[in-house]
Amino acid sequence: MKKSFTMLLTALLTLSFMLSACSGSNNSKTSSTDPAPAPSANANAEKNAETKEAPTEITIMLPLNTTEAPPDTIKNEVEKLTNTKLKYQFFPADSYEEKLNTSFATGSLPQVTYLKNQSTFVQMKEAIKDGQFWEVGPLLNEFPNLSKMKPEILDNTKVDGKLYTLYIGRPLARQGIIYRKDWADKLGLGAPANVDELFAMAKAFTEKDPDGNGIKDTTGIADRNELVYGAFKTVSSWFGTPNTWGTKDGQLQPEFTFQQYYDTMDFFKKLRDGGYMNQDFAATSKTDAVNMFTSGKAGLYIGGSMQDIDNLNKDLIKNVPDAVLDTHSMVAGPDGKFAQWMIPGYNNVVLFPKSAVKDEAELKKILAFFDKMMTPEVANLMYWGIEGTHYTVVEGKAKAGDDKELNEREVKGYKDSVIGESETNGMYEPYNTLPGRIHAEELILENVKVGVADPTAALDSATYTEKGVELQQIITDATYKYIYGQIDKAGFDKAVEDWKSRGGSKIIEEYNAAAK
């Protein structure tokens, strides 16, 4: 009996030790003085299999920037790594705001709702203030990876000092020039050092037969109907215009009240009057502007992102095999100074509607999915695709596969939803071989050194939230009319007064009060 008792006691002690070890391995808390590394997605997948937890069901709505929704290839792998059952609701980006507004009005937003851009975020702020979305700020410290998100960017998405969103990170200043280096070399031109040389390049690309076909069938700049992500705002920053808002006479004022904004309009009017850019740019879509450039008929593509050079080059060399592209961004203004406007560090955010997420417990399960999204395994899967199929790893970086159409079809839809950025989610940086793209990445770092932030990025104005987009259209229309020669300075000034009388003065007042 004593022997049996001893054996039983030994077994019980062994079982107790095993249970204690298991309990310890499931403890996700880490010491603040000696933090443990965040568990990998594979470790999470193994843990899920061991504990047999039921998959978390999540419905996600987001804009689609491709012609058709992606197949489930990537989604199925993400579900395995995150122990989730995901239902994606993709809607075309061009009509996404309409779908977003309809879903909000009918109370049918899903648990995870991506917005379209910063403008739609502004429009949603009143609903956020009304308590229709979950606050997530106090919960982020419970998640080892979400807590890595950059606080300076999170601050730019706060509403009344509270955080309701997760952000999709983007470089602060990607904009610049993509240009035909082969044309410039042929004409003896270097990258434009200042706005006068930029004008001269556009003129030469139009008048000096850079393609050598003996026909005057080229133009300088291919631009589109977008004052922010087209050429206008980028060139405007080179002229020294503040980034959306600036300080004048000790008070915040909108950019279009500054002389440099007028100087930029004059610059574009002179370009258009000379025929050095597409005459109908205010009615030209991005697609048409890109096609104009990649068909070999234009030599300068300005604004947006210099990282677009990869796709532009791919399509251009189909039409002009010997074409060579390069990037450039350091263009000095009339005062000899450099400046680049900067975004607030994100291009979109995700919200969690209370109409779809019933309680904090459910919210935490959804946040746990996003926490796993910020592991290298999941972030790489969603951003780059499946290794060996959509990309390969070269020198510690991701080299996209040669089948661009496959990547566009299967990966792009999910890529646009990855939160954070490589510094915070650990995903691979791109492996670039195109000299112009390598140059672009170097310039993006240089841009930040002379970057100009929007001083109102983290400020609230109730009137701007309510009427800002509508009022901005007054200025947009007036800007185009000025450049087209349909109104003069007095006409533009009248539009500014119209903007002020219809709510703009209230916006100025509210932003200045918030700044104090």
Side-chain angles (χ1 to χ4, degrees), residues 21 132 198 248 280 287 295 310 317 336 397 437 448 478:
Q132 299 190 47
L198 174 61
K248 183 166 60 175
D280 60 345
T287 300
S295 67
D310 286 319
I317 60 176
K397 297 182 178 182
R437 175 60 188 272
V448 176

Side-chain angles (χ1 to χ4, degrees), residues 466-480:
E466 179 186 359
K467 298 180 178 180
V469 174
E470 169 194 338
L471 291 176
Q472 182 58 40
Q473 194 61 46
I474 297 172
I475 303 302
T476 299
D477 291 344
T479 301
Y480 286 138

Side-chain angles (χ1 to χ4, degrees), residues 1-12:
M1 288 181 63
K2 285 178 66 179
K3 182 178 181 181
S4 298
F5 177 77
T6 301
M7 293 175 63
L8 177 61
L9 179 61
T10 301
L12 288 171

Side-chain angles (χ1 to χ4, degrees), residues 283-350:
T284 302
S285 68
K286 180 180 180 179
T287 300
D288 288 341
V290 166
N291 288 341
M292 184 179 177
F293 187 82
T294 57
S295 67
K297 297 303 180 184
L300 289 153
Y301 187 85
I302 304 175
S305 169
M306 290 182 289
Q307 294 168 325
D308 289 341
I309 189 174
D310 286 319
N311 288 329
L312 292 178
N313 183 74
K314 174 176 67 74
D315 292 335
L316 174 62
I317 60 176
K318 291 177 183 176
N319 300 310
V320 189
D322 296 331
V324 178
L325 295 181
D326 201 359
T327 50
H328 183 64
S329 64
M330 289 296 140
V331 179
D335 60 0
K337 295 180 180 179
F338 295 104
Q340 301 285 352
W341 70 278
M342 297 193 301
I343 65 171
Y346 68 94
N347 78 329
N348 201 1
V349 297
V350 56

Side-chain angles (χ1 to χ4, degrees), residues 10-223:
T10 301
L12 288 171
L13 289 171
T14 301
L15 178 61
S16 174
F17 174 81
M18 291 173 63
L19 288 174
S20 175
C22 289
S23 174
S25 68
N26 284 331
N27 185 355
S28 62
K29 295 182 180 178
T30 58
S31 167
S32 59
T33 57
D34 186 21
S40 71
N42 284 330
N44 284 326
E46 292 170 4
K47 177 185 170 185
N48 292 332
E50 291 172 3
T51 57
K52 296 182 181 179
E53 297 173 357
T56 301
E57 296 185 9
I58 306 174
T59 302
I60 302 169
M61 174 180 169
L62 70 167
L64 181 67
N65 293 293
T66 57
T67 55
E68 58 184 36
D72 291 344
T73 310
I74 302 300
K75 179 179 80 77
N76 291 341
E77 296 302 314
V78 172
E79 289 178 337
K80 293 176 187 176
L81 290 175
T82 60
N83 193 35
T84 53
K85 190 68 176 174
L86 305 174
K87 179 181 179 183
Y88 281 91
Q89 298 177 346
F90 291 101
F91 297 100
D94 288 345
S95 57
Y96 191 74
E97 287 176 327
E98 180 181 346
K99 179 63 183 178
L100 189 67
N101 291 333
T102 301
S103 298
F104 175 71
T106 57
S108 57
L109 289 175
Q111 296 153 294
V112 175
T113 301
Y114 283 81
L115 302 186
K116 181 181 178 181
N117 50 35
Q118 295 171 36
S119 295
T120 51
F121 177 44
V122 169
Q123 294 174 47
M124 203 62 73
K125 282 188 176 180
E126 281 304 309
I128 292 172
K129 293 177 183 179
D130 287 342
Q132 299 190 47
F133 295 92
W134 284 96
E135 183 185 357
V136 300
L139 303 177
L140 294 193
N141 285 336
E142 298 182 26
F143 300 93
N145 300 309
L146 291 180
S147 61
K148 297 175 186 175
M149 299 188 89
K150 295 180 178 180
E152 65 271 24
I153 299 177
L154 291 174
D155 285 345
N156 285 337
T157 71
K158 286 182 177 178
V159 179
D160 283 346
K162 296 180 179 179
L163 183 67
Y164 298 83
T165 62
L166 304 177
Y167 69 83
I168 300 174
R170 288 293 182 270
L172 293 170
R174 299 185 294 172
Q175 67 281 353
I177 301 170
I178 300 172
Y179 71 101
R180 288 289 298 272
K181 187 177 186 300
D182 55 323
W183 284 8
D185 290 346
K186 179 181 178 181
L187 300 177
L189 300 172
N194 52 53
V195 289
D196 289 338
E197 290 187 11
L198 174 61
F199 186 91
M201 177 177 277
K203 181 179 180 181
F205 282 176
T206 305
E207 296 182 341
K208 294 189 176 181
D209 190 26
D211 59 359
N213 66 357
I215 304 171
K216 191 176 181 180
D217 60 350
T218 59
T219 192
I221 299 172
D223 197 19

Side-chain angles (χ1 to χ4, degrees), residues 134 139 353-354 356-366:
W134 284 96
L139 303 177
K354 288 185 177 179
V357 182
K358 63 179 182 295
D359 53 33
E360 189 174 284
E362 183 180 347
L363 176 63
K364 287 185 178 182
K365 287 186 177 181
I366 295 170

